[in-house]
Short mmCIF file of all heavy atoms in Angstrom, two decimals:
data_model
loop_
_atom_site.label_atom_id
_atom_site.label_comp_id
_atom_site.label_asym_id
_atom_site.label_seq_id
_atom_site.Cartn_x
_atom_site.Cartn_y
_atom_site.Cartn_z
N ALA A 59 -0.08 -25.74 27.65
CA ALA A 59 0.64 -27.01 27.81
C ALA A 59 0.07 -27.82 28.96
O ALA A 59 -0.06 -29.06 28.87
CB ALA A 59 2.13 -26.73 28.03
N ARG A 60 -0.29 -27.16 30.04
CA ARG A 60 -0.86 -27.87 31.20
C ARG A 60 -2.22 -28.47 30.87
O ARG A 60 -2.57 -29.56 31.35
CB ARG A 60 -0.98 -26.90 32.38
CG ARG A 60 -1.57 -27.50 33.64
CD ARG A 60 -1.39 -26.57 34.82
NE ARG A 60 -1.90 -25.24 34.53
CZ ARG A 60 -3.19 -24.89 34.61
NH1 ARG A 60 -4.09 -25.81 34.98
NH2 ARG A 60 -3.57 -23.66 34.35
N LEU A 61 -3.00 -27.77 30.03
CA LEU A 61 -4.33 -28.26 29.67
C LEU A 61 -4.31 -29.23 28.49
O LEU A 61 -5.35 -29.78 28.12
CB LEU A 61 -5.23 -27.07 29.32
CG LEU A 61 -5.54 -26.10 30.47
CD1 LEU A 61 -6.34 -24.90 29.95
CD2 LEU A 61 -6.34 -26.81 31.57
N GLY A 62 -3.13 -29.41 27.88
CA GLY A 62 -3.02 -30.34 26.76
C GLY A 62 -3.58 -29.79 25.46
O GLY A 62 -4.21 -30.53 24.68
N ILE A 63 -3.34 -28.51 25.20
CA ILE A 63 -3.86 -27.85 24.00
C ILE A 63 -2.69 -27.29 23.19
O ILE A 63 -1.77 -26.69 23.76
CB ILE A 63 -4.83 -26.71 24.37
CG1 ILE A 63 -6.07 -27.27 25.08
CG2 ILE A 63 -5.26 -25.92 23.14
CD1 ILE A 63 -7.00 -26.21 25.59
N THR A 64 -2.72 -27.49 21.87
CA THR A 64 -1.69 -26.96 20.98
C THR A 64 -2.25 -25.79 20.19
O THR A 64 -3.47 -25.62 20.06
CB THR A 64 -1.20 -28.04 20.02
OG1 THR A 64 -2.28 -28.43 19.15
CG2 THR A 64 -0.70 -29.27 20.78
N THR A 65 -1.34 -24.98 19.65
CA THR A 65 -1.77 -23.84 18.83
C THR A 65 -2.50 -24.30 17.57
O THR A 65 -3.39 -23.61 17.06
CB THR A 65 -0.56 -22.97 18.44
OG1 THR A 65 0.43 -23.78 17.81
CG2 THR A 65 0.04 -22.31 19.68
N GLN A 66 -2.12 -25.47 17.05
CA GLN A 66 -2.80 -25.99 15.87
C GLN A 66 -4.26 -26.30 16.17
O GLN A 66 -5.15 -26.05 15.34
CB GLN A 66 -2.08 -27.24 15.36
CG GLN A 66 -2.65 -27.82 14.07
CD GLN A 66 -2.53 -26.84 12.92
OE1 GLN A 66 -1.46 -26.30 12.68
NE2 GLN A 66 -3.62 -26.59 12.21
N GLN A 67 -4.54 -26.85 17.34
CA GLN A 67 -5.92 -27.11 17.72
C GLN A 67 -6.72 -25.81 17.85
O GLN A 67 -7.89 -25.76 17.46
CB GLN A 67 -5.95 -27.88 19.06
CG GLN A 67 -5.44 -29.31 18.96
CD GLN A 67 -5.29 -29.96 20.32
OE1 GLN A 67 -4.77 -29.35 21.26
NE2 GLN A 67 -5.73 -31.20 20.45
N VAL A 68 -6.09 -24.76 18.39
CA VAL A 68 -6.76 -23.47 18.49
C VAL A 68 -7.03 -22.90 17.09
O VAL A 68 -8.13 -22.40 16.81
CB VAL A 68 -5.92 -22.48 19.32
CG1 VAL A 68 -6.60 -21.11 19.36
CG2 VAL A 68 -5.72 -23.01 20.73
N ASP A 69 -6.05 -22.98 16.20
CA ASP A 69 -6.22 -22.49 14.83
C ASP A 69 -7.37 -23.22 14.13
O ASP A 69 -8.20 -22.60 13.45
CB ASP A 69 -4.93 -22.68 14.03
CG ASP A 69 -3.84 -21.70 14.46
OD1 ASP A 69 -4.18 -20.70 15.11
OD2 ASP A 69 -2.67 -21.95 14.13
N ASN A 70 -7.41 -24.55 14.29
CA ASN A 70 -8.47 -25.32 13.65
C ASN A 70 -9.84 -24.93 14.19
O ASN A 70 -10.82 -24.81 13.43
CB ASN A 70 -8.23 -26.81 13.87
CG ASN A 70 -7.01 -27.32 13.11
OD1 ASN A 70 -6.57 -26.69 12.15
ND2 ASN A 70 -6.46 -28.43 13.56
N THR A 71 -9.94 -24.72 15.50
CA THR A 71 -11.23 -24.36 16.11
C THR A 71 -11.70 -22.99 15.62
O THR A 71 -12.87 -22.82 15.26
CB THR A 71 -11.10 -24.35 17.64
OG1 THR A 71 -10.69 -25.65 18.08
CG2 THR A 71 -12.43 -24.00 18.28
N LEU A 72 -10.79 -22.01 15.59
CA LEU A 72 -11.17 -20.67 15.13
C LEU A 72 -11.48 -20.68 13.63
O LEU A 72 -12.36 -19.94 13.17
CB LEU A 72 -10.04 -19.69 15.43
CG LEU A 72 -9.75 -19.44 16.92
CD1 LEU A 72 -8.57 -18.50 17.09
CD2 LEU A 72 -10.99 -18.86 17.61
N ASN A 73 -10.77 -21.50 12.89
CA ASN A 73 -11.06 -21.62 11.46
C ASN A 73 -12.44 -22.23 11.24
O ASN A 73 -13.20 -21.78 10.37
CB ASN A 73 -9.99 -22.47 10.78
CG ASN A 73 -10.15 -22.50 9.27
OD1 ASN A 73 -10.65 -21.56 8.66
ND2 ASN A 73 -9.72 -23.59 8.66
N ASP A 74 -12.80 -23.23 12.03
CA ASP A 74 -14.13 -23.83 11.92
C ASP A 74 -15.22 -22.80 12.25
O ASP A 74 -16.29 -22.80 11.64
CB ASP A 74 -14.26 -25.02 12.87
CG ASP A 74 -13.40 -26.20 12.44
OD1 ASP A 74 -13.00 -26.24 11.26
OD2 ASP A 74 -13.10 -27.06 13.29
#
Side-chain angles (χ1 to χ4, degrees):
R60 179 169 53 82
L61 295 175
I63 296 174
T64 64
T65 55
Q66 184 62 50
Q67 290 171 315
V68 177
D69 288 343
N70 291 339
T71 301
L72 295 177
N73 186 29
D74 291 341

